[in-house]
Structure formats: C-alpha cells, structure tokens
Amino acid sequence: MNFVANNVPKRLIGAVSGILALAACELQPVPTDTAILDDALPAGTAIPAAWSTSGAATSAVKGNWVASFRDPNMTSLVREGLENNRDLVAAAARVEAALQTVVIAGAPILPQVGLGLGSQRSELTERDRINTLEGGAIAASWELDVWGKLRANKSASAALARAIAEDARYLQQSIAATVARSWIANIELARLIAVSQQATTVYSNLLDLTDKKAAAGQVSDFDVVQARSRVAAAKAATSQIRTSQNQAIGSLEVLVGRYPSLTLKPASSFPRMPSSLPASGLPLSLLDRRPDVIAARNKVIAAFYKSETAKLARLPGISLSAAGGKLLDPELALLGTGPEFLRIGVNLLQPIFAGGALQADVVRMSAKQSAAVAEYGQTVLEAFNEVETALANEKTLRSELANWRESLKDANEALEFANDRYVQGTIDMTGLLILQQFQLERQVNVIETEAALLNNRVLLYMALGESI
C-alpha cells in the first residue's frame, strides 16, 4: 500500500524528532564496586592486605581442588553429583528463566508491531440490507524511553539474572564440596566400625582369658563380669555406628542422583591430604572469586536499578502510535476503489495522583536497595570469616593430629605391657580395661581428626571460591 508522506503533518515530524533526541538521556551510573563495599560494611571496617594466618599462600588460586586429593572414587562421585543432582537441574532452569526475563524486560524498549485482519457484518432489518466490511491493518506502538525507565528496568533484570547465575555456580561448588565431605564421612564411619569390631575381638579374647583364669582360681567372677560387659558394649557400639553409616550412605546416594539402596561401599582409607595449603590469594581478591559474593553484589546493582525505575515512573510517559491499512467494502469495490488509512499519534501521560502509590514504591525500592547492601556486607564478612577460620584450623588440626598419633603410639606400648602383666597376674582387670579403653579412644581420636582435617581443607577450597 502507498501512503503520501505529505499527508503527515510537518509539525508532527518535528515533535517526534525532538522526542527522539530526548530519548538519548543516559541512566544514572551504577555505584562502583568500591562504593558498594564501603556502603555495605560498618564504618571503620578495614580489610587487611593479607590473611591473618601466617604462612598462608597468597598467589592466585589454581582451581581443580577435587583432583588435589588424588582419590578417583571421590572424583567420580563429585562428577556424578554435578551431572545428576536435582537441585542443580532446578538451578539451571532458574538461570534460563532469568535470561528470558531480561529479554522480556527489554522488549518494550523497541517498537511493538502487530497485524490485524477482520470482517464485520451488519444488517438493517427494516430495509433488508446486509453490509459486509473487511479489511486489514498494520499497527505499531512505541513507548519512548525518554528518561531511561525501561532501560533501568532491563538493567535490573540483567543484574538479577547474573546474580541467579552466580547463585547456581555457588550451588554447584556447594554440591561438589558436600559430596566430597559425605564421602569422607562415610570412610570415617567405616573406620570407626572397624575399630569397634576390633574392640569386640579384643574384649572377647580377654573374656576367654578371664574365664580360664577364673576357672584356675586366679581371678574373681568380678573380672569375668567386667570383660563380658565390655564385649556387649562393643557390639552395641558397632550397631550404633552402622545406623549412622546407613543414613550417611543413603544421603550420599541421593546427593549424586541415585536411588538410596544403601549399596554404595566406602573406601577403607581416607583420600590423601594435600601436602600444602592452597594458594589463597589476597583478601580483596576473594570478592571477585566467590560466586555467592558476586551474586550478592549483583543483587545490590539490581536493587539500584529497580529504585531508579520507581523514581522515573513519576515522570511523564511518552509513546508513539501508528496504524495503516485498507478496507474492503463491496460497494466501493464495484467502483474499483477501496479506502486506505493512516493514523499517527503522540501520547503523553503525566502521573498526577495515584493515591501515594508512586512515592510509596520509591520508598519501598529504596528500602530494598538498603537491605541488599546490608546483605552484601554480611555475605562479605562471612566469606572472610570462612577463609580465616579454615586457614587457622588447618594449623590447629595438624598439630592436634600429631599429638593424637603420638598419644596412640604410647597407648599401644602401654597396653602391650599391661596385657603381659595381666597374664602374669601383676595387674588387675580394672587397670587393664582402663588402658584398653584409653587405647581405643586414641584410635577414634586419630580417625576423627584425620577426617576433620580433610573436611576443613574442603571447606577452605569452598571458602576461597576454588573451581572444580
């Protein structure tokens, strides 16, 4: 269809040109990362140049922390968890939804165009006359983003989408760490069961020896009763640990996406502890490495743009509309003609009274922005705390483990002497049982501290934002 340009009023063209020039207004610049951090932390909070723990490595993080344990079974389970965990599947879907929200938020910035086709039938009953009118039209509308409200809304959606993506990445790291720690926990329980079974064997052998000594009149029935009680207690302890192991195995199977059949078999030994601390980077670099910190910062940016959107909603809204088409009237068709039409309009709407809703929305969004800033500050402080605590615990746990191992070595030696002396009759049952219990407790202490040291290393990798 052809329209004559001269039919469009020149004043309208001039008005549209002026409006398009206004549409180039820039958005308010988002606060810098430094400004956000300064606003988020309490006044006077200083971030040190290095970690408080002496000897912590400060070079760049190298990543691939799972492989550093050199445990193929743990590596395989982590990979399985990342592929099959249902929470990660849901997180990926949330990221996709957020990305499409950005597209939807940005759509009003561009003109909206539609095609309409229709037919209308009318009848004059008194004159027995039927008239059918058909036609088609192309219509377009465009809300001019003069003040940047639409762009601010799109920027808010984009920042929120980035936050959701970082949350998903943090969940991925959390799942990997949880699988690794669950694997370590299952090995710990398997080793504790072995110690408990060992105790059952030791006490059973001691009971046999005591029965013989009692039959020979060398000891009283009191010794026999004590030995028998220890056998029963050791068996009960084994059953108790197995109950915990069943729960741990089922939880790990669900974590990696399996049916909880309780068939997963833990290894008999722990993964190898990496010999040195990971490269920890500098404290400030943590803010750009940890996905949860990055997500919290993006939520602040999203809240900033949402606040800007609320403020700009109080300004006039300007939109253009145009429609053109052709009507098909049977009566005019006989004359070889059909009416064509073109409509162009400019609309301006200045909010005057909305019951206080617009101002309330500004206050609401400003409050949400303040909340996002405070939450970012809390996330940052907790991130620093996790690293500092894990670094300090690494040294403490290594020292603790060395002491427990030394104590176990001495307990083993003392128990050998005690067993010989009980056979010779120079030590009573009570003294022997005390030393035996002490030796078993030291085995448990060593196992639990080895597991704690491994778990702490996993937590340190997590706290540093190490990749997998």
Side-chain angles (χ1 to χ4, degrees):
M1 66 186 73
N2 297 317
F3 299 110
V4 181
N6 289 334
N7 291 337
V8 181
K10 293 182 179 180
R11 285 181 296 178
L12 180 58
I13 295 178
V16 171
S17 298
I19 291 171
L20 291 175
L22 287 174
C25 293
E26 293 294 331
L27 294 175
Q28 286 291 326
V30 68
T32 64
D33 292 349
T34 301
I36 294 175
L37 183 62
D38 290 342
D39 196 23
L41 296 178
T45 302
I47 299 175
W51 299 109
S52 300
T53 300
S54 60
T58 56
S59 58
V61 177
K62 296 179 180 178
N64 193 22
W65 63 263
V66 179
S68 69
F69 288 96
R70 289 168 288 183
D71 185 335
N73 290 322
M74 188 172 80
T75 300
S76 177
L77 285 170
V78 169
R79 186 182 304 111
E80 186 178 352
L82 295 179
E83 290 175 354
N84 299 329
N85 184 267
R86 296 296 89 187
D87 289 334
L88 286 178
V89 174
R94 286 193 293 270
V95 172
E96 178 61 28
L99 293 175
Q100 298 309 313
T101 300
V102 178
V103 176
I104 294 170
I109 297 176
L110 301 175
Q112 308 296 302
V113 181
L115 172 64
L117 298 173
S119 175
Q120 180 177 327
R121 179 186 176 92
S122 60
E123 180 178 354
L124 297 176
T125 55
E126 295 180 357
R127 300 184 180 181
D128 194 22
R129 179 180 175 184
I130 299 175
N131 184 42
T132 301
L133 183 64
E134 298 176 342
I138 295 178
S141 62
W142 186 15
E143 182 180 353
L144 299 179
D145 196 21
V146 177
W147 320 113
K149 180 183 71 173
L150 299 179
R151 282 171 288 155
N153 189 52
K154 181 181 179 181
S155 296
S157 296
L160 189 57
R162 292 193 297 270
I164 293 173
E166 292 296 338
D167 280 336
R169 192 160 68 93
Y170 186 67
L171 177 62
Q172 185 182 48
Q173 294 182 356
S174 299
I175 294 296
T178 305
V179 170
R181 296 183 67 199
S182 296
W183 175 243
I184 293 169
N186 274 284
I187 296 174
E188 177 185 7
L189 289 169
R191 293 188 61 179
L192 290 176
I193 287 174
V195 171
S196 185
Q197 290 174 332
Q198 175 192 341
T200 301
T201 301
V202 168
Y203 288 133
S204 295
N205 293 337
L206 185 59
L207 177 59
D208 291 340
L209 175 61
T210 305
D211 282 336
K212 293 177 181 177
K213 290 174 73 69
Q218 298 175 355
V219 298
S220 67
D221 290 341
F222 177 67
D223 285 6
V224 175
V225 171
Q226 286 191 82
R228 186 183 301 127
S229 174
R230 293 300 177 104
V231 172
K235 290 180 179 179
T238 302
S239 298
Q240 188 177 42
I241 300 172
R242 286 195 186 280
T243 300
S244 298
Q245 186 184 49
N246 289 337
Q247 295 174 342
I249 290 175
S251 297
L252 179 54
E253 288 175 330
V254 169
L255 192 61
V256 299
R258 299 184 189 179
Y259 180 84
S261 58
L262 309 185
T263 56
L264 191 152
K265 300 298 181 184
S268 58
S269 59
F270 286 120
R272 294 180 62 180
M273 179 69 184
S275 58
S276 60
L277 285 170
S280 308
L282 300 176
L284 272 177
S285 68
L286 187 69
L287 305 185
D288 294 319
R289 294 206 312 264
R290 289 240 330 209
D292 59 327
V293 174
I294 299 172
R297 186 167 63 239
N298 274 300
K299 289 172 184 176
V300 172
I301 296 172
F304 167 81
Y305 281 121
K306 282 291 186 183
S307 180
E308 289 298 304
T309 301
K311 294 174 184 176
L312 295 172
R314 299 175 299 179
L315 299 177
I318 303 173
S319 62
L320 302 178
S321 62
K326 186 173 184 178
L327 299 177
L328 302 177
D329 189 325
E331 295 182 356
L332 295 176
L334 295 175
L335 302 176
T337 62
E340 297 178 346
F341 67 92
L342 170 65
R343 295 193 305 270
I344 296 179
V346 179
N347 301 307
L348 184 146
L349 177 62
Q350 169 62 62
I352 296 177
F353 178 75
L358 293 176
Q359 183 58 34
D361 197 36
V362 172
V363 175
R364 179 173 70 100
M365 290 304 172
S366 297
K368 286 192 172 185
Q369 183 180 352
S370 298
V373 170
E375 289 167 0
Y376 173 62
Q378 189 66 27
T379 301
V380 168
L381 291 175
E382 288 175 357
F384 286 139
N385 177 57
E386 289 171 8
V387 176
E388 292 284 11
T389 301
L391 287 172
N393 285 347
E394 173 97 12
K395 301 183 94 176
T396 302
L397 286 169
R398 284 184 179 276
S399 175
E400 179 184 342
L401 180 59
N403 287 325
W404 284 131
R405 284 173 173 170
E406 184 67 23
S407 178
L408 176 59
K409 178 182 175 182
D410 292 339
N412 287 334
E413 187 175 352
L415 186 60
E416 288 181 9
F417 290 135
N419 281 321
D420 291 340
R421 291 181 179 181
Y422 182 72
V423 172
Q424 297 167 3
T426 59
I427 186 175
D428 62 10
M429 170 65 72
T430 301
L432 176 60
L433 290 176
I434 290 175
L435 288 173
Q436 182 66 67
Q437 182 67 29
F438 184 83
Q439 189 269 351
L440 290 170
E441 288 174 350
R442 298 298 77 77
Q443 289 191 63
V444 171
N445 292 143
V446 169
I447 292 170
E448 290 178 342
T449 308
E450 286 175 341
L453 185 59
L454 288 165
N455 273 310
N456 185 75
R457 178 56 69 87
V458 173
L459 291 175
L460 177 57
Y461 288 136
M462 182 74 182
L464 290 171
E466 288 268 21
S467 59
I468 50 181

